[in-house]
Structure formats: structure tokens, C-alpha cells
Amino acid sequence: MNDHAARRVTLTDVGHSFDATGRDMLFRHLTVTLRPKHVYALTGPSGSGKSTLLSIIAGWTKPVAGVVERFDCGRVCWVLQNPHGVARRSAVDHVALPFIARGERRRDAQSRAMELLRAFGLESLAFKPFRDLSGGEAQRLMLARGVASRAGLLLVDEPTAQLDLNTAATVNEHLHSLSMSGSIVVVATHDPRTRDACTDLIDLRDWQDETSANTSVNKEVRDDERQTP
Ligand SMILES: Nc1ncnc2c1ncn2[C@@H]1O[C@H](COP(=O)(O)OP(=O)(O)OP(=O)(O)O)[C@@H](O)[C@H]1O
């Protein structure tokens, strides 16, 4: 996945409102370019529009203002806070499926899925049905599935809210390595640990009124001296 030099999502002057009059804007004039090798933290108070913006980035919600362009984004994977799975299917089946869909033999798909489960600390749950997983386990499973499906654009809602410190750190490491392998990763979060583990910050409070527009394009929260392709 290292050859997606053109992969990016650009948002230009994007604003959104669910109010028919368009007066009560959640955010406006939001202008940012999202690229691989960065992990974007999307922050703001509850109800400020984080999930709405994830949906706009994914292309599932059309913003009332501005332009969103996606270049070479490939598969979009959205990992919800309370993800849906197939209740009776095993954890490992959920991760093996994308490999099988790409034509791998079931045995190979299963062993690659097991590797990913191991990486996400879920190996011991491999044969549990999805319905018996906790919320945090189900979410990590969906992250593993996002890796298996080679998502070009990974949108994650509160990945660490339900996790202990060590597991949260592991998930943050995975988000980082996913971005380095070529995915665009955007994480909506209230968790300061996750925010600090991200490379860039998009704080919706900076885009809530006219006066503050365009003041915070890609604020760096940590400079990794990374090379953007
Ligand atoms: N389909 C919809 N129709 C009308 N209003 C909506 C719709 N979806 C979201 N909203 C409203 O838009 C606002 C932003 O919602 P959103 O879920 O994007 O916020 P959020 O920042 O993700 O919140 P939280 O941190 O609590 O998850 C909320 O006031 C919500 O009630």
C-alpha cells in the first residue's frame, strides 16, 4: 500500500447544518487536506458534529456548504463505537472474510486473520461468536477487519473509550502503523491519550463561527518529521 502517493481527501470551506434554514451551522469554512502517514484526531464537545464530519469525509453525508474531494481513497472502513457484526459468526471469521473475498483459500485467510487477531490482543477470543464480545473487543475486531480489508480511508469513532490503558496504547499504535502503511486515518475522540497519540488535530470548536474560520489548518500536535508522499 505504499504506492498511493496521490491518496488524499480535501475539504474546502465545508459547513453543515441539520436545520432546514441553514442558520444553525455545526461548523463552517472547514478547510483541510487529509493524507496517509498522519493520524487525525477529530475533537470537540459532544454534539459538535464529529460523527457528522466523519460521515461527510466518507461521502455518506453531503455537506450543505463547501466541497469534498477524494483522490485514490479505495475502500472506506468506518469503525463504530458499537460496531455491528454477524451475531453467531466467530471473531476470526469476521477478519478472514476480506481475505477470502480477495480470493485467498479459507485456510490461508484464517491463518492471516489469526495473525491480526494476535496483533490486536484478541487471539483468545478467535472462536467466540461476535455476540459474546464486549464493546471494546468488538471495536478492536473491526479495526483488525479494517486492516484485513486494506481500507484506504479508515474512520474510527472513539476507539479507546472502553479500553484500559495498555489496550488503548496498543490500538493507538495500530492506528499509527495503519496510517504509515498508506491509509488515511481519522479518529473522533474525547480521550486525551488518543488525541495526544495522533499527529494532527482538527478541533471543531475552531470551525464554529465566522471569525475563527481558517485559523487552524492541520494543527500539528506532534511533529514526527514524517515525509508525506
Ligand atoms: N440525521 C440527523 N438529523 C438531525 N440532526 C442530527 C442528525 N444527525 C446528527 N444530528 C445532530 O447534529 C449534532 C451533531 O451530532 P454528531 O453525532 O455529529 O455529534 P458528535 O460530536 O459526534 O457527538 P458525540 O461526541 O456526542 O458523539 C447533534 O446535535 C445531533 O443531535
Side-chain angles (χ1 to χ4, degrees), residues 82 135 176 186 189 196:
N82 295 299
H176 186 73
V186 187
T189 187
D196 292 346

Side-chain angles (χ1 to χ4, degrees), residues 52-183:
T52 304
L53 184 56
L54 287 182
S55 179
I56 287 172
I57 292 168
W60 298 335
T61 297
K62 186 172 165 23
V64 298
V67 179
V68 181
E69 293 169 289
R70 277 170 223 86
F71 302 92
D72 188 27
C73 282
R75 188 181 293 273
V76 179
C77 175
W78 189 336
V79 181
L80 298 163
Q81 201 171 353
N82 295 299
H84 298 291
V86 183
R88 274 190 280 184
R89 249 181 208 280
S90 68
V92 68
D93 273 358
H94 280 77
V95 182
L97 203 65
F99 293 114
I100 292 169
R102 283 203 300 275
E104 293 203 20
R105 284 184 312 173
R106 174 164 281 279
R107 236 176 68 190
D108 297 339
Q110 180 116 353
S111 78
R112 296 187 65 174
M114 285 302 287
E115 270 172 43
L116 280 173
L117 290 184
R118 204 168 302 131
F120 280 86
L122 295 169
E123 193 183 10
S124 62
L125 306 174
F127 298 101
K128 258 197 175 184
F130 184 87
R131 64 170 173 233
D132 290 349
L133 302 181
S134 73
E137 289 164 354
Q139 206 184 23
R140 267 182 294 149
L141 183 70
M142 290 308 175
L143 282 173
R145 185 167 148 133
V147 177
S149 66
R150 294 187 186 155
L153 178 55
L154 189 74
L155 306 166
V156 192
D157 218 344
E158 289 290 357
T160 52
Q162 315 179 62
L163 304 180
D164 60 78
L165 270 178
N166 283 342
T167 318
T170 310
V171 166
N172 287 333
E173 277 165 28
H174 278 291
L175 293 175
H176 186 73
S177 59
L178 261 170
S179 78
M180 294 309 285
S181 72
S183 299

Side-chain angles (χ1 to χ4, degrees), residues 9 32-43 54 57 154 156 179 183-189 194-195 197-202 218-220 228:
V9 181
V32 67
T33 299
L34 308 170
R35 299 178 188 277
K37 304 198 178 185
H38 296 247
V39 180
Y40 299 88
L42 180 52
T43 61
L54 287 182
I57 292 168
L154 189 74
V156 192
S179 78
S183 299
I184 298 170
V185 181
V186 187
V187 183
T189 187
T194 300
R195 189 195 58 215
C198 292
T199 60
D200 296 63
L201 176 64
I202 302 168
N218 284 1
K219 275 184 189 169
E220 294 281 317
T228 305

Side-chain angles (χ1 to χ4, degrees), residues 16-19 24 26-27 42-55 61 81 157-158 188-190 204:
H16 196 66
S17 168
F18 288 106
D19 166 18
D24 199 7
L26 287 169
F27 46 82
L42 180 52
T43 61
S46 179
S48 59
K50 298 180 294 298
S51 302
T52 304
L53 184 56
L54 287 182
S55 179
T61 297
Q81 201 171 353
D157 218 344
E158 289 290 357
T189 187
H190 289 286
L204 283 181

